[in-house]
Amino acid sequence: MSVYVNPVCMSVLVGSSCVPMCFHVLTPCPALFAFPHPPCQELQPLMAQLDLKHGDEKQAVAPAQTKPPPCLQKCKAHLLKLVSYFSGDMAPFAKWMEKQFFLLQLLDWVLRGAAQVMFVNNPLSGLIIFAGLILQNYWWALNGFVGTLFATISALILQQNRGAIAAGLYGYNGILVGLLMAVFSNAGNWYWWLLLPNIFMSMMCPVVSSALASINSRWDLPVFTLPFNILVCLHMVATGHYNHHFPQVLIQPRTELPNITWEEIDLAKLFMSVPVGVGQVYGCDNPWTGGIFIISLFISSPITCAHAVLGSTIGMLSGLALAAPFGAIYFGLWGYNCVLACIAIGGMFYALTWQVHLLAITCGFFCAYLGSAIANIMSAFGLPACTWPFCLSALTFLLITTETNKIFKLPLAKVTYPEKNLCYFWKMKKQEKLEKLEEEEKKKIEEQQRAIEEGILNEKEQLRINLSAMEEASLTQIVTGPEPQSEQRDIDGEQTPDYRPEEMPVNYV
Amino acid sequence: MSVYVNPVCMSVLVGSSCVPMCFHVLTPCPALFAFPHPPCQELQPLMAQLDLKHGDEKQAVAPAQTKPPPCLQKCKAHLLKLVSYFSGDMAPFAKWMEKQFFLLQLLDWVLRGAAQVMFVNNPLSGLIIFAGLILQNYWWALNGFVGTLFATISALILQQNRGAIAAGLYGYNGILVGLLMAVFSNAGNWYWWLLLPNIFMSMMCPVVSSALASINSRWDLPVFTLPFNILVCLHMVATGHYNHHFPQVLIQPRTELPNITWEEIDLAKLFMSVPVGVGQVYGCDNPWTGGIFIISLFISSPITCAHAVLGSTIGMLSGLALAAPFGAIYFGLWGYNCVLACIAIGGMFYALTWQVHLLAITCGFFCAYLGSAIANIMSAFGLPACTWPFCLSALTFLLITTETNKIFKLPLAKVTYPEKNLCYFWKMKKQEKLEKLEEEEKKKIEEQQRAIEEGILNEKEQLRINLSAMEEASLTQIVTGPEPQSEQRDIDGEQTPDYRPEEMPVNYV
Amino acid sequence: MSVYVNPVCMSVLVGSSCVPMCFHVLTPCPALFAFPHPPCQELQPLMAQLDLKHGDEKQAVAPAQTKPPPCLQKCKAHLLKLVSYFSGDMAPFAKWMEKQFFLLQLLDWVLRGAAQVMFVNNPLSGLIIFAGLILQNYWWALNGFVGTLFATISALILQQNRGAIAAGLYGYNGILVGLLMAVFSNAGNWYWWLLLPNIFMSMMCPVVSSALASINSRWDLPVFTLPFNILVCLHMVATGHYNHHFPQVLIQPRTELPNITWEEIDLAKLFMSVPVGVGQVYGCDNPWTGGIFIISLFISSPITCAHAVLGSTIGMLSGLALAAPFGAIYFGLWGYNCVLACIAIGGMFYALTWQVHLLAITCGFFCAYLGSAIANIMSAFGLPACTWPFCLSALTFLLITTETNKIFKLPLAKVTYPEKNLCYFWKMKKQEKLEKLEEEEKKKIEEQQRAIEEGILNEKEQLRINLSAMEEASLTQIVTGPEPQSEQRDIDGEQTPDYRPEEMPVNYV
């Protein structure tokens, strides 16, 4: 746990990981932040699936706005199309997978589950994350895999929603349970008995997820990693440090803090704490592993990746502000909750606007504060903070209601990944504008129609009066009252639905 | 608290308690588990009340299926009828009670309240439970009685639902508050001042119950023993071990665990821990008391009784798996939460199917795990685990949503006792099937009708065309459009509601 | 923190504070409690605003009941009108403020926010409260002001409801956060760095308030001071006693209690603990400050003031009953939660009846019990109890549902201050009675009409039969069936809505 990579190597890693990817995707990246009129077309290959599904007559106007691409742009379009197969949520791959062998499908779900910890629904990212885990520790990676696998199987047994299982939404708590139970076990690596509680707790994940979803769905909120937090804390506090079967590492409350002098600070380690913070989401302290995780995020969604790095930085700064021991900051303990909180608020569950971006930064600071508080409380019971701070701060910020439409919380069923969410938000805004325009036009037309109709009605009424006078001649006066009025209403109802016959002076009876 | 009965006596107790009862009821007992086509008729006397209420024309077919009973079966039927007066929820007795003197009614409610701790709505079970408590400790029994009494009175003062009070649903938290405050008091028996906080806390039970019910009812969940947990923990932590007026027993967190060797295990004590676990629901460590409680459960509902014993066994096994000190297992501390959780899930709030039975077992293991965790956390505050583990695990398992119809959660208003719940479930399933069949037949008839009507309609349309042509001759062309169409719709709407005039080619205008 | 004022001075203070005010308002005060027929007219100037808004034709009857005031009463009326400008929620002042300079408005909101801690929406009370705070400690008062200011500004940035901001509902958590962070800081007065976390936490108040409101609004519950509790505990536990930047005062769990002998009790201090308890709502231990707070409450609402004193007394008595150390009782630690709980239940969120008054007293005792429990638990983490006991007990008592209409919970949108709430309750009751009477009369008239109509209908039917016979002659037999029946229904529907044509024997076909 104390393997610190040379900061020089680290910077190379981050650099190298970015360079090839930037070539492909970074061109649209600045465009994403170029608000308020973003050129949506450059990212369209990423959202091809969305357009096909939701494309209606209004979308048909869009291609007309994009100019025919010249030769250079053609090449770029080809590249982007290739990228679109591996980025985002890899929807074409998911569709192709549906017809494959069950075990292959299960592997896809497990990989997606591994990546869903970071809100990424992408099997390639999941594969890279597993690679990062193997780089960190074989035994931990095995436990993580077992956890994801059994959590997914348990969800199948419990007959949970198939779409959610296929998106890995029942696996991500499993991988965390598996990993962190191995990380916090005091029995050392390759203590095979650990697989027993690991499997039991992983299989409880869908149960707890389903139960929490029943509660959170009332506020249209996700369950985040709450099942993992509950189950790992459960296992750790149920057994404890002195247990003979499943001993845990000893965590004790701090009663003293070392004197901090700003001269002692190691800037290289401080810089490295950013990728380490990302790695600590999976309990990994290897900066290379953290770097690999950053790459895996970048593949799927550059916005997610940017907010992950931002979150880790916020956590590090907060640690310095609250006089935390440098060791804990270097070790990434101040970062991982902020990473998740920043991703969740910054574009994942809110549509990314500048206001939401600021909200995500605020949430990051709040999460860091909360992280310190929860770590101190949990240590009284020999427990780590897990991702409780992230869950609580993100849920708090998702529960906010404001009167501005710049902070738009996506309906949970529409959440995919930040770029697609943004497109959904823009499309919705456009539609709203169109509807407003249409309504205004409609009103104008109606007013014109009303003027015309009044002329016609006068004619009609004359005819009707004649007719009803003829009919009424054969009936007594009691019956005549309601009958012609109801006929009148039927006719009006079909010709001018907005026309109120009550407001019309009934001068023909 | 350390009175352990000879295991040989114990087995006699369990045996003797079963023999006389088996004679009466055990014959239908296997039938209950003979899934999927259970002979419901043998248990009908138990559910006579239900049939009278919900009996409709569909029920009238049922007696035809049961063959006329021969001489031997007649005798059996008489016996079963006798049993039906004392088993289940004793509904005929409750009806008879309604006309009695108020104090007698109150006693009925108090006795039902005592039994409701185990989800049993039966005054006879309550009486037997009080007998068990007296066997354990006079002072505790008195405190339990005072608690139940004042909780019920307080519910009357607060004008809570009379039906719920009569079912003992406001008393069971009172008995637990009274009992456990006496059990955990460090002032010794017959410390009369204890009755003061006892009465205050018992009277707070309906307040907390009502408040929690307001929250839980949103998810159609019961409050279980949460009010008891809240109030007893409140009293204990508000006073504590060092209080001068109301000192509590000293509970401290474990910092070390004794070495466990499997040779040291005492199988007799381990076996005895099953009834002790049932007894610990009421804070009693006397295995005889536990045995009496098992009998009281068996009188009302064999399914409840079976799950209670199963739960206690699951708790004991979990304790062994998690390397708990043998003393705690023998003392029943691992059992009582699992007893309650198994009863709640296994047939009480879910309709008992094999899937639900497995769910109840899973819930038992989860509850045991949770029990260990909560006991460790609460001991940091000098508190016992109470029944928090049961409440939290049962609520979690009741919040699950699945896409299978084999796990059917009963609406809270329909929950009575496992056998009756099952009958409700089967009846509902039957009705669903009947409705499906009816719908299919209806569709067939409709199709036939449609064919006939089309012939008629053609005739009608001819007539209408003639008529409308005549009418229209006296009107301008503007008015003619909608009028005949609306008339057409009215006529169609009343004769063939499924017929869509829009789909019909309008060839007559 | 150990400045105890001479009890003689104290009694003078309380006396002097009451005398001038009693002269003005205490005459209607007993009338308020004279249930069940309270003379509402004497308090009408206070509620003038309400009557103007909701006044309808029913209100027009009320003035007729009040006799024309003689000369003495005229003078009194003038006085009451003058009082009405400064008491209650000072609605005319709020209206006048709307047109003023923004900074002046902000000051109004801040002052209202300061008073809203005690549920008082009155800038004058807020001003007096700030005076009391300055009397206690300059540094604390400054921190409180900064907290209120930034909480209000943050609510404006987050675009929260303007009406709620103007009522100070986003400021009261801010003042408590600011004050208590200064009170519990171990860095001494005038440690200017403290303003940084103070501003951050104050600005988080509207975020947490908004989030909690999203949850609590499902049960129509207020958020009380929960945001303050969460944020101050967050700050204290995140930093702790040993922090180098923001050290907190050391709070440790009690492991021993001093021997208490009733001879040692100091009755003067015990009496003084009542105003100190009120002062401790704002963390102030100066009895003069507490007295000033009592005055500020009295200005706005005598009922609130009475319940505040009652609550503080209940807390003191509970402390004695539970063998608390006398020092804690003298210091007001047993009082402040009960003060708030008594105000909240006794007239603020329930309409004040005798039953509600008893409920408020019960809630006070429950709150005191809970206060002791929570203080013991929180001290394990080095935390004070804050106002958690008040929040939890008041929420519990607001969640109760009963079948009596004497305990009427006001809809949250209608809550203003106890006197106005009462008027709303009485008006609602009157309206209900009127509606009942009207319904009964309506039924009588309908019955008379029905008798008349039956005669007319017989005539009508004769005519209809003749007509339909004529029409049907030109159509086939299939069409005739439904047509006359539908016409019949239309006529009935408009003339006699309660008349059921299905029940009428159709003897004319």
Side-chain angles (χ1 to χ4, degrees):
Chain A
M1 289 213 203
S2 54
V3 183
Y4 291 127
V5 174
N6 190 309
V8 183
C9 301
M10 193 50 222
S11 66
V12 169
L13 169 81
V14 173
S16 66
S17 76
C18 273
V19 170
M21 297 310 300
C22 294
F23 187 66
H24 293 172
V25 190
L26 261 189
T27 34
C29 212
L32 278 166
F33 294 99
F35 215 68
H37 292 296
C40 191
Q41 68 268 24
E42 272 178 304
L43 267 172
Q44 269 189 3
L46 267 105
M47 286 123 213
Q49 233 54 28
L50 181 76
D51 293 342
L52 284 168
K53 277 181 198 156
H54 302 272
D56 43 17
E57 59 286 346
K58 272 146 215 158
Q59 202 60 25
V61 191
Q65 292 168 349
T66 61
K67 287 177 193 167
C71 189
L72 198 92
Q73 284 200 331
K74 214 172 188 177
C75 182
K76 208 168 146 189
H78 273 292
L79 264 172
L80 280 171
K81 198 172 182 186
L82 197 81
V83 166
S84 82
Y85 284 122
F86 298 104
S87 61
D89 52 7
M90 283 179 73
F93 182 76
K95 219 165 199 177
W96 175 78
M97 259 295 172
E98 275 173 30
K99 296 152 212 154
Q100 304 305 309
F101 186 52
F102 176 75
L103 281 185
L104 219 63
Q105 272 189 298
L106 194 62
L107 187 71
D108 178 41
W109 301 342
V110 165
L111 291 179
R112 280 174 193 270
Q116 276 284 13
V117 175
M118 298 275 210
F119 305 102
V120 165
N121 180 9
N122 189 313
L124 188 61
S125 299
L127 203 66
I128 295 171
I129 283 167
F130 268 119
L133 291 178
I134 287 166
L135 180 70
Q136 169 82 36
N137 187 316
Y138 288 104
W139 171 243
W140 295 2
L142 175 69
N143 272 276
F145 181 77
V146 168
T148 332
L149 188 68
F150 278 91
T152 309
I153 289 170
S154 168
L156 287 168
I157 293 170
L158 270 169
Q159 300 211 10
Q160 297 298 300
N161 182 281
R162 204 60 176 260
I165 296 173
L169 291 177
Y170 284 101
Y172 70 92
N173 284 300
I175 193 175
L176 288 176
V177 165
L179 268 174
L180 275 295
M181 271 170 72
V183 169
F184 290 113
S185 169
N186 208 24
N189 289 353
W190 309 108
Y191 175 68
W192 290 98
W193 285 108
L194 188 67
L195 285 179
L196 275 180
N198 185 344
I199 289 169
F200 179 74
M201 281 300 170
S202 309
M203 293 190 80
M204 290 307 298
C205 276
V207 171
V208 178
S209 285
S210 178
L212 286 174
S214 295
I215 295 171
N216 283 12
S217 65
R218 293 291 163 107
W219 290 273
D220 204 34
L221 292 174
V223 298
F224 288 131
T225 50
L226 281 175
F228 147 68
N229 287 322
I230 291 168
L231 291 170
V232 161
C233 288
L234 195 60
H235 171 72
M236 287 189 71
V237 89
T239 49
H241 182 62
Y242 301 103
N243 195 278
H244 294 289
H245 295 176
F246 308 110
Q248 308 298 327
V249 295
L250 186 64
I251 297 171
Q252 278 182 317
R254 265 201 306 263
T255 46
E256 236 181 325
L257 279 175
N259 261 322
I260 294 167
T261 47
W262 292 106
E263 290 86 41
E264 285 171 23
I265 209 162
D266 184 341
L267 281 172
K269 278 185 178 177
L270 205 65
F271 174 73
M272 226 158 59
S273 77
V274 174
V276 172
V278 177
Q280 281 288 7
V281 171
Y282 292 85
C284 299
D285 61 343
N286 188 333
W288 290 90
T289 302
I292 289 171
F293 292 168
I294 291 172
I295 296 169
S296 75
L297 293 182
F298 191 79
I299 289 169
S300 171
S301 159
I303 294 179
T304 300
C305 181
H307 276 95
V309 175
L310 180 69
S312 197
T313 315
I314 287 171
M316 182 252 284
L317 293 175
S318 304
L320 294 177
L322 288 175
F326 291 139
I329 299 174
Y330 299 156
F331 198 57
L333 293 183
W334 281 78
Y336 67 98
N337 278 303
C338 302
V339 166
L340 291 170
C342 256
I343 295 174
I345 301 299
M348 186 57 68
F349 294 98
Y350 281 117
L352 190 66
T353 58
W354 278 118
Q355 288 86 341
V356 165
H357 188 63
L358 291 176
L359 203 69
I361 290 170
T362 316
C363 183
F365 280 108
F366 183 66
C367 180
Y369 229 119
L370 196 60
S372 174
I374 289 178
N376 284 344
I377 286 179
M378 305 285 270
S379 66
F381 307 107
L383 287 173
C386 295
T387 56
W388 285 107
F390 147 63
C391 288
L392 298 181
S393 60
L395 287 175
T396 303
F397 273 75
L398 285 178
L399 276 168
I400 295 171
T401 51
T402 70
E403 294 184 349
T404 170
N405 63 348
K406 301 284 178 192
I407 297 177
F408 174 74
K409 184 165 163 272
L410 287 125
L412 203 54
K414 295 287 177 194
V415 168
T416 46
Y417 53 95
E419 286 82 6
K420 209 164 164 179
N421 292 342
L422 254 184
C423 273
Y424 173 82
F425 175 60
W426 290 332
K427 204 180 274 172
M428 227 191 55
K429 265 188 132 178
K430 232 184 230 169
Q431 216 160 338
E432 264 177 32
K433 270 187 193 169
L434 275 170
E435 274 169 20
K436 263 191 187 171
L437 280 172
E438 272 175 27
E439 255 178 43
E440 276 171 25
E441 274 184 38
K442 220 177 164 183
K443 271 185 191 171
K444 275 185 192 170
I445 293 166
E446 267 173 25
E447 273 170 27
Q448 289 176 356
Q449 269 194 331
R450 198 171 294 177
I452 298 164
E453 275 163 17
E454 264 168 30
I456 298 169
L457 271 168
N458 289 342
E459 266 185 73
K460 267 166 73 181
E461 269 160 33
Q462 276 299 327
L463 284 164
R464 187 157 301 281
I465 290 161
N466 295 345
L467 192 73
S468 60
M470 277 158 62
E471 279 175 355
E472 279 160 23
S474 64
L475 289 162
T476 63
Q477 269 184 311
I478 305 154
V479 187
T480 48
E483 212 170 16
Q485 202 177 13
S486 73
E487 269 177 86
Q488 174 67 26
R489 192 172 291 153
D490 281 2
I491 293 161
D492 289 341
E494 269 162 37
Q495 285 189 341
T496 57
D498 273 10
Y499 192 79
R500 299 264 161 77
E502 294 94 311
E503 290 162 24
M504 196 185 66
V506 187
N507 57 351
Y508 62 92
V509 182
Chain B
M1 289 215 206
S2 53
V3 183
Y4 291 129
V5 174
N6 189 309
V8 183
C9 303
M10 193 50 221
S11 66
V12 169
L13 169 81
V14 173
S16 66
S17 76
C18 274
V19 169
M21 297 310 300
C22 294
F23 186 66
H24 294 173
V25 189
L26 262 189
T27 34
C29 211
L32 277 167
F33 295 98
F35 216 67
H37 294 296
C40 190
Q41 67 268 24
E42 273 178 304
L43 267 172
Q44 269 188 2
L46 266 105
M47 286 126 215
Q49 232 56 25
L50 182 75
D51 292 343
L52 284 169
K53 278 183 199 155
H54 302 273
D56 43 17
E57 59 286 345
K58 271 147 214 158
Q59 202 60 23
V61 192
Q65 293 167 348
T66 60
K67 289 175 192 169
C71 188
L72 198 92
Q73 284 199 332
K74 217 173 188 173
C75 181
K76 210 168 146 187
H78 273 292
L79 264 171
L80 279 172
K81 198 170 181 187
L82 197 80
V83 166
S84 81
Y85 284 122
F86 299 105
S87 62
D89 51 7
M90 285 179 71
F93 182 76
K95 221 166 196 173
W96 176 78
M97 259 296 171
E98 274 172 30
K99 296 153 213 150
Q100 304 305 309
F101 185 52
F102 175 74
L103 281 185
L104 219 64
Q105 271 188 300
L106 194 63
L107 186 73
D108 178 41
W109 301 342
V110 165
L111 292 179
R112 282 176 193 267
Q116 276 285 12
V117 175
M118 297 275 210
F119 307 101
V120 164
N121 180 9
N122 189 313
L124 188 62
S125 299
L127 203 67
I128 296 171
I129 283 167
F130 268 118
L133 291 179
I134 288 165
L135 180 71
Q136 169 82 36
N137 186 315
Y138 288 104
W139 171 242
W140 296 1
L142 175 69
N143 272 277
F145 180 77
V146 168
T148 333
L149 187 68
F150 278 90
T152 309
I153 288 169
S154 167
L156 287 168
I157 293 171
L158 268 169
Q159 301 211 9
Q160 298 297 300
N161 182 280
R162 205 60 179 258
I165 295 173
L169 290 178
Y170 284 101
Y172 69 93
N173 283 301
I175 193 176
L176 288 177
V177 164
L179 266 175
L180 274 297
M181 271 169 73
V183 169
F184 289 114
S185 169
N186 208 25
N189 289 353
W190 309 108
Y191 175 68
W192 290 98
W193 285 107
L194 189 66
L195 286 180
L196 276 180
N198 185 345
I199 289 170
F200 179 73
M201 282 299 170
S202 309
M203 292 191 80
M204 290 307 298
C205 277
V207 171
V208 179
S209 285
S210 179
L212 286 173
S214 294
I215 296 171
N216 284 11
S217 64
R218 293 289 164 108
W219 289 273
D220 205 33
L221 291 174
V223 298
F224 288 130
T225 50
L226 281 176
F228 147 67
N229 287 322
I230 291 169
L231 290 170
V232 162
C233 288
L234 195 59
H235 171 72
M236 287 189 71
V237 90
T239 50
H241 181 62
Y242 301 103
N243 194 278
H244 294 290
H245 295 176
F246 308 110
Q248 309 297 326
V249 295
L250 186 64
I251 298 172
Q252 279 182 317
R254 264 201 308 264
T255 46
E256 237 182 323
L257 279 175
N259 260 323
I260 296 166
T261 48
W262 293 105
E263 290 86 42
E264 286 171 21
I265 210 163
D266 185 341
L267 280 173
K269 278 186 179 176
L270 205 66
F271 173 75
M272 227 159 60
S273 77
V274 174
V276 172
V278 177
Q280 282 287 6
V281 171
Y282 292 85
C284 301
D285 62 342
N286 187 335
W288 290 89
T289 301
I292 288 170
F293 291 167
I294 292 172
I295 296 169
S296 76
L297 293 182
F298 192 80
I299 288 169
S300 171
S301 159
I303 294 180
T304 298
C305 180
H307 276 95
V309 175
L310 180 69
S312 196
T313 316
I314 287 171
M316 182 252 285
L317 293 176
S318 304
L320 295 177
L322 287 176
F326 290 140
I329 299 174
Y330 299 156
F331 196 59
L333 294 183
W334 282 78
Y336 68 98
N337 278 302
C338 303
V339 165
L340 291 170
C342 256
I343 295 174
I345 302 298
M348 186 57 68
F349 295 97
Y350 282 118
L352 190 66
T353 58
W354 278 117
Q355 288 87 339
V356 166
H357 188 64
L358 291 176
L359 203 68
I361 291 170
T362 315
C363 183
F365 279 109
F366 182 65
C367 181
Y369 229 118
L370 196 59
S372 175
I374 287 177
N376 284 343
I377 285 179
M378 304 285 271
S379 66
F381 306 107
L383 288 172
C386 296
T387 56
W388 286 106
F390 146 64
C391 288
L392 298 181
S393 61
L395 286 175
T396 304
F397 273 74
L398 285 178
L399 275 168
I400 296 171
T401 51
T402 70
E403 294 184 349
T404 171
N405 62 347
K406 301 285 177 192
I407 297 177
F408 174 74
K409 183 165 164 273
L410 287 125
L412 204 54
K414 294 288 177 193
V415 168
T416 46
Y417 53 94
E419 287 81 5
K420 207 165 165 180
N421 291 342
L422 255 184
C423 273
Y424 173 81
F425 175 60
W426 289 334
K427 203 181 274 171
M428 224 191 55
K429 266 187 131 180
K430 233 185 227 166
Q431 215 160 338
E432 263 175 32
K433 269 187 193 170
L434 274 171
E435 272 169 22
K436 262 190 189 173
L437 281 172
E438 270 175 26
E439 253 176 46
E440 277 171 25
E441 273 184 40
K442 217 177 165 184
K443 270 185 191 170
K444 274 185 192 172
I445 293 165
E446 266 172 25
E447 272 170 28
Q448 289 177 355
Q449 268 194 331
R450 197 170 296 179
I452 297 165
E453 276 163 16
E454 264 167 31
I456 296 168
L457 270 169
N458 289 341
E459 266 185 76
K460 265 167 73 181
E461 270 159 33
Q462 277 298 326
L463 283 164
R464 185 156 302 279
I465 290 160
N466 295 345
L467 193 72
S468 60
M470 277 158 63
E471 279 176 353
E472 279 159 24
S474 64
L475 288 163
T476 61
Q477 269 183 310
I478 304 154
V479 187
T480 48
E483 212 170 14
Q485 204 177 10
S486 73
E487 272 179 84
Q488 175 67 26
R489 192 172 292 154
D490 281 3
I491 294 161
D492 290 339
E494 270 163 36
Q495 287 191 340
T496 57
D498 272 11
Y499 190 80
R500 301 265 159 77
E502 293 94 312
E503 290 162 23
M504 195 186 66
V506 188
N507 57 352
Y508 63 92
V509 181
Chain C
M1 289 213 206
S2 52
V3 182
Y4 291 128
V5 174
N6 190 310
V8 182
C9 303
M10 193 50 223
S11 66
V12 170
L13 169 80
V14 173
S16 66
S17 75
C18 273
V19 169
M21 298 311 299
C22 293
F23 186 68
H24 294 171
V25 190
L26 261 188
T27 33
C29 212
L32 278 167
F33 295 99
F35 215 68
H37 292 297
C40 191
Q41 66 268 25
E42 272 179 304
L43 267 171
Q44 268 188 4
L46 266 104
M47 286 125 214
Q49 234 53 28
L50 182 76
D51 292 342
L52 285 169
K53 276 183 199 155
H54 302 274
D56 43 16
E57 58 286 344
K58 271 144 213 158
Q59 202 59 25
V61 191
Q65 292 169 349
T66 62
K67 289 176 193 167
C71 188
L72 198 91
Q73 283 199 334
K74 215 172 188 175
C75 182
K76 207 167 148 189
H78 272 293
L79 264 171
L80 279 171
K81 198 171 179 188
L82 197 82
V83 166
S84 82
Y85 284 123
F86 299 105
S87 61
D89 51 7
M90 283 178 72
F93 182 74
K95 222 168 196 172
W96 176 76
M97 259 296 171
E98 273 173 31
K99 297 153 213 151
Q100 304 305 309
F101 187 51
F102 175 75
L103 281 184
L104 219 65
Q105 273 189 298
L106 194 63
L107 187 72
D108 178 42
W109 302 342
V110 165
L111 291 179
R112 282 176 193 269
Q116 276 284 11
V117 175
M118 297 275 210
F119 306 102
V120 164
N121 180 9
N122 190 313
L124 188 62
S125 300
L127 202 67
I128 295 171
I129 284 166
F130 266 119
L133 291 178
I134 286 166
L135 180 71
Q136 168 82 36
N137 186 315
Y138 287 104
W139 171 242
W140 295 3
L142 174 69
N143 272 276
F145 181 76
V146 168
T148 332
L149 186 68
F150 279 90
T152 309
I153 289 169
S154 168
L156 287 168
I157 293 171
L158 269 169
Q159 301 210 8
Q160 299 296 302
N161 182 279
R162 202 64 178 257
I165 296 173
L169 290 177
Y170 283 100
Y172 69 93
N173 283 299
I175 193 175
L176 288 176
V177 164
L179 269 174
L180 275 296
M181 271 169 72
V183 170
F184 290 114
S185 168
N186 209 23
N189 288 354
W190 309 107
Y191 176 68
W192 291 96
W193 285 108
L194 189 66
L195 287 179
L196 276 181
N198 184 343
I199 290 169
F200 180 74
M201 282 299 170
S202 307
M203 293 191 80
M204 290 306 298
C205 276
V207 171
V208 179
S209 285
S210 178
L212 286 174
S214 295
I215 296 171
N216 283 14
S217 64
R218 293 292 163 107
W219 289 272
D220 204 33
L221 291 174
V223 297
F224 288 130
T225 50
L226 281 175
F228 147 67
N229 287 322
I230 291 169
L231 290 170
V232 161
C233 288
L234 196 59
H235 171 72
M236 287 189 70
V237 90
T239 50
H241 181 63
Y242 302 102
N243 195 277
H244 294 290
H245 295 176
F246 308 110
Q248 309 297 328
V249 296
L250 186 63
I251 298 172
Q252 278 183 316
R254 265 200 307 263
T255 47
E256 236 181 326
L257 279 175
N259 260 323
I260 295 168
T261 47
W262 292 107
E263 290 86 41
E264 287 172 22
I265 210 162
D266 184 342
L267 280 173
K269 278 186 180 178
L270 205 64
F271 173 73
M272 224 157 61
S273 78
V274 174
V276 171
V278 176
Q280 282 288 4
V281 171
Y282 292 85
C284 300
D285 61 343
N286 188 334
W288 290 89
T289 302
I292 289 171
F293 291 167
I294 292 172
I295 296 168
S296 76
L297 293 182
F298 191 80
I299 288 169
S300 172
S301 159
I303 294 180
T304 299
C305 180
H307 276 95
V309 175
L310 181 69
S312 196
T313 315
I314 288 171
M316 182 252 284
L317 293 175
S318 303
L320 295 177
L322 288 176
F326 290 138
I329 299 174
Y330 298 156
F331 197 58
L333 294 183
W334 282 79
Y336 67 100
N337 279 301
C338 302
V339 166
L340 291 170
C342 256
I343 295 174
I345 302 299
M348 186 56 68
F349 295 98
Y350 282 118
L352 189 67
T353 58
W354 279 118
Q355 288 87 339
V356 165
H357 188 64
L358 290 176
L359 204 68
I361 291 169
T362 316
C363 183
F365 280 109
F366 183 65
C367 181
Y369 229 119
L370 196 60
S372 174
I374 288 178
N376 283 343
I377 285 179
M378 303 285 271
S379 66
F381 306 107
L383 287 173
C386 297
T387 56
W388 286 107
F390 147 63
C391 288
L392 298 180
S393 61
L395 287 175
T396 303
F397 274 74
L398 285 178
L399 276 168
I400 295 171
T401 51
T402 70
E403 294 184 350
T404 172
N405 63 347
K406 301 284 179 193
I407 297 177
F408 174 73
K409 184 166 162 272
L410 286 126
L412 204 54
K414 295 287 177 195
V415 168
T416 47
Y417 53 94
E419 286 82 5
K420 208 164 165 179
N421 292 342
L422 254 183
C423 271
Y424 173 82
F425 175 60
W426 289 333
K427 202 181 275 173
M428 225 191 54
K429 266 187 132 180
K430 234 184 227 168
Q431 215 161 338
E432 264 176 32
K433 269 187 194 169
L434 274 170
E435 273 169 22
K436 262 190 189 171
L437 280 172
E438 271 175 26
E439 254 177 44
E440 275 170 27
E441 272 184 40
K442 218 176 164 184
K443 271 185 192 170
K444 274 185 193 169
I445 293 166
E446 268 173 24
E447 272 170 29
Q448 289 175 355
Q449 269 194 329
R450 196 170 297 178
I452 297 164
E453 275 162 18
E454 263 167 32
I456 296 169
L457 271 169
N458 288 342
E459 264 185 76
K460 265 166 73 181
E461 270 157 36
Q462 278 298 327
L463 282 164
R464 186 157 302 281
I465 290 160
N466 296 345
L467 191 74
S468 61
M470 276 158 63
E471 278 175 355
E472 278 158 25
S474 65
L475 290 161
T476 62
Q477 271 185 310
I478 304 155
V479 187
T480 48
E483 213 169 13
Q485 203 176 11
S486 74
E487 271 178 87
Q488 173 67 27
R489 192 170 294 152
D490 283 355
I491 294 161
D492 289 340
E494 271 162 36
Q495 286 191 342
T496 57
D498 272 9
Y499 191 80
R500 298 265 159 77
E502 293 94 311
E503 290 162 25
M504 195 185 66
V506 187
N507 58 351
Y508 62 92
V509 180

